[in-house]
Amino acid sequence: RHHERLAKMFDMWCLHIPVQDRTTFQGLVEHVERTVKSESSRAPDRPVYLVGESVGACIALAVAARNRDVDLVLVLVNPGTSFHRSQLQSLSALLDLVPDPFHSSTPQLLNFLTGNFMKMSPRFGGAGQALSEVASGLLPSLMYLADILPKESIVWKMKMLRTASSFVNSRLHAVKAQTLVVASGNDELLPSRDEAERLRGTLKKCRVRHFRDNGHKILLEDGFDLVTTIKGAGDYRRSRQTDYVLDFLPLSDDELEKAIDRDRLLTFATDPVMLSTLPDGKIVRGLAGLPRAGPVLLVGYHMLMGFELGPLVTGVLRSTGIHIRGLAHPFMFNESSDQLIPDSSNYDLHRIMGAVPVTAVNFYKLLSEKQFVLLYPGGAREALHRKGEEYRLFWPEQSEFVRMASRFGATIIPFGVVGEDDICDMLLDYNDLMKLPFYDILDKKLNEEGLKLRYILILF
């Protein structure tokens, strides 16, 4: 399901293990390792991505532990490192007692082999007659499954997963690679959600993305897109260092629709209207006054919580085809932020939409690429303004961004938003929160990456 989109980003290699193959886990690791080393030597400035599901994730971790000097990015999908705490642990012991060909009709084993198919089982669990009819209808398929996956092959795979889990867990301390763990919340075979959190606490550079409603075979399920997940987590890069400007990939139609859906309720409730100014000074409804070629710098005022941001960016993109690249708080890109917020995917959409950390270098690159750049000089302080500060600007006395824009001959478009600060009353603000126990510690953590931003821009 994912090869077509992945192939536009990567040179694809796929590991295939034939049913009758009995290569040991160590042999598979060495096989993948040879390919990794070959590709790394051929293109030393590019990372090698290893995407592994279940036992494949164990192979990826083992390769990373043995090759710490190779630039690797691991994407681990429901990793088998939790085997010893899973249903498969007991199932593997039971398998020897189950006669052929009935081994393939064991519910847990069917889930292990076919994944999404077993999501039908709860619908029939309470109806004996219906279950009987379904089982009789499935019998020919189960017999065919037993032919192509004999018990011997499954026993071997279970043993390999046991070996793989033990091998990798004893070497997690040696893994230095950038890692993304994809965990299904409805994984019926492995405790993937808990395992993802364990790996996040164990591995040095690890992000986690949870998918609450997906099962063990998430890569086969509709509604999950591996490319979007990698992009959203900020784990796509073309070189040794992430370049948020040049590594950006245009949105797919599905990604744009998800961005629109996220703000659909807000858009429906507020019915925002966009106005623009023509060259002759006439104000018109719509975006006819917006230039069609960059570089352009849009400088605006943040309303409460920055709720205007989503409808603004998606509205401009849908109306004109112009993609606005926002300069965002570094907290949204910091790996440590995953530890501080309840849902670490909160900022994924910002990254997918092309936001970059607000630094002088990124600002320079965007303008040099003739992009449409969005800047809020008031930043988070303006979006999180306090009681009585409605419509108040928190801009610096020196407009340091003007010099940068003039260097590239960029058009500067100031804009404002009216109405959002009028639709609610603020009950608690920053001053109130600082009186709560321990909040000052959290506040310091949240802001430690952004203290010197304005100083950097001025120096540039």
Side-chain angles (χ1 to χ4, degrees):
R1 289 188 62 250
H2 308 275
H3 285 183
E4 185 176 346
R5 288 199 70 195
L6 286 170
K8 295 178 181 179
M9 302 162 58
F10 304 100
D11 297 328
M12 293 284 294
W13 292 72
C14 298
L15 174 65
H16 172 62
I17 307 175
V19 174
Q20 301 299 333
D21 187 274
R22 293 297 179 267
T23 304
T24 64
F25 175 73
Q26 184 76 12
L28 290 172
V29 171
E30 292 173 354
H31 180 68
V32 174
E33 190 176 58
R34 286 193 294 271
T35 306
V36 166
K37 288 181 176 179
S38 173
E39 287 300 295
S40 181
S41 62
R42 186 177 67 87
D45 294 331
R46 293 197 302 174
V48 176
Y49 280 67
L50 293 179
V51 180
E53 178 193 40
S54 192
V55 69
C58 294
I59 295 174
L61 283 166
V63 171
R66 290 160 54 106
N67 297 271
R68 299 169 66 178
D69 295 332
V70 178
D71 185 14
L72 292 173
V73 180
L74 310 183
V75 182
L76 313 177
V77 182
N78 296 327
T81 48
S82 62
F83 175 80
H84 294 88
R85 294 179 285 110
S86 71
Q87 294 186 43
L88 294 177
Q89 165 88 338
S90 55
L91 179 61
S92 62
L94 178 66
L95 200 57
D96 287 332
L97 305 177
V98 179
D100 290 322
F102 297 104
H103 66 277
S104 61
S105 63
T106 306
Q108 290 90 345
L109 191 57
L110 266 177
N111 205 331
F112 181 56
L113 300 175
T114 62
N116 202 32
F117 166 80
M118 284 305 295
K119 284 194 172 182
M120 293 188 297
S121 59
R123 303 178 188 176
F124 306 103
Q129 183 177 356
L131 182 59
S132 176
E133 293 173 358
V134 171
S136 62
L138 289 175
L139 188 59
S141 299
L142 296 179
M143 298 299 290
Y144 176 69
L145 188 62
D147 290 338
I148 63 174
L149 284 170
K151 188 172 80 170
E152 179 192 359
S153 297
I154 299 171
V155 169
W156 165 78
K157 189 169 184 179
M158 289 289 190
K159 289 180 178 178
M160 184 174 69
L161 184 55
R162 182 194 301 272
T163 301
S165 177
S166 298
F167 180 90
V168 170
N169 278 314
S170 65
R171 291 164 175 80
L172 287 177
H173 64 278
V175 177
K176 309 300 180 185
Q178 179 181 344
T179 305
L180 171 63
V181 180
V182 176
S184 295
N186 195 28
D187 190 337
E188 306 86 348
L189 298 179
L190 299 172
S192 294
R193 184 176 183 85
D194 293 340
E195 180 64 6
E197 294 303 321
R198 184 181 79 90
L199 291 175
R200 172 155 54 183
T202 304
L203 302 176
K204 290 189 175 181
K205 295 184 288 185
C206 181
R207 290 183 185 269
V208 171
R209 290 297 177 267
H210 292 287
F211 294 86
R212 182 180 59 186
D213 299 324
N214 292 91
H216 183 69
K217 297 290 185 180
I218 186 174
L219 293 176
L220 300 178
E221 298 178 13
D222 290 332
F224 173 77
D225 192 306
L226 184 58
V227 168
T228 300
T229 303
I230 294 173
K231 289 167 57 178
D235 283 324
Y236 177 66
R237 54 185 173 90
R238 294 183 172 97
S239 57
R240 288 192 174 273
Q241 298 294 328
T242 302
D243 188 325
Y244 290 102
V245 175
L246 301 181
D247 289 339
F248 172 71
L249 296 171
L251 274 69
S252 67
D253 292 339
D254 287 341
E255 289 168 348
L256 177 57
E257 284 304 313
K258 287 181 180 179
I260 294 171
D261 283 342
R262 178 171 176 171
D263 296 311
R264 195 174 297 279
L265 180 60
L266 177 65
T267 301
F268 175 78
T270 60
D271 192 19
V273 174
M274 293 191 182
L275 307 175
S276 61
T277 305
L278 299 178
D280 62 5
K282 182 180 179 181
I283 298 176
V284 296
R285 181 164 181 157
L287 299 171
L290 191 67
R292 294 300 187 263
V296 171
L297 176 62
L298 294 98
V299 183
Y301 160 69
H302 249 326
M303 298 291 280
L304 183 63
M305 300 296 293
F307 286 137
E308 82 287 343
L309 183 57
L312 171 65
V313 175
T314 56
V316 170
L317 183 56
R318 294 185 72 183
S319 301
T320 66
I322 295 172
H323 196 117
I324 297 175
R325 305 288 303 277
L327 294 167
H329 197 289
F331 176 78
M332 297 181 182
F333 304 87
N334 189 348
E335 289 184 12
S336 63
S337 66
D338 283 8
Q339 310 283 348
L340 298 174
I341 54 179
D343 185 357
S344 56
S345 64
N346 276 336
Y347 299 123
D348 285 11
L349 189 57
H350 294 79
R351 289 185 282 260
I352 292 170
M353 294 296 293
V356 303
V358 54
T359 67
V361 173
N362 287 336
F363 192 22
Y364 182 96
K365 286 181 179 179
L366 287 171
L367 292 177
S368 65
E369 292 288 320
K370 300 186 183 302
Q371 300 279 338
F372 280 68
V373 185
L374 175 61
L375 173 66
Y376 289 100
R381 174 65 180 87
E382 202 165 72
L384 302 175
H385 57 252
R386 302 163 193 176
K387 297 175 184 176
E389 293 180 345
E390 295 82 0
Y391 295 108
R392 178 179 168 185
L393 297 181
F394 292 89
W395 291 17
E397 294 182 5
Q398 299 180 18
S399 302
E400 57 268 14
F401 58 84
V402 175
R403 286 183 294 168
M404 181 81 80
S406 63
R407 178 171 182 173
F408 291 95
T411 301
I412 300 178
I413 301 178
F415 70 93
V417 186
V418 178
E420 188 180 314
D421 278 347
D422 303 311
I423 62 176
C424 63
D425 292 322
M426 191 180 301
L427 297 179
L428 289 174
D429 63 10
Y430 177 80
N431 294 330
D432 298 317
L433 292 174
M434 287 299 290
K435 298 175 184 177
L436 299 177
F438 306 112
Y439 183 82
D440 57 332
I441 300 175
L442 176 61
D443 179 71
K444 183 178 179 180
K445 281 284 186 183
L446 292 174
N447 291 286
E448 62 185 4
E449 294 295 325
L451 293 177
K452 300 181 180 178
L453 291 179
R454 186 162 293 162
Y455 179 65
I456 291 173
L457 285 172
I458 292 174
L459 282 181
F460 195 94

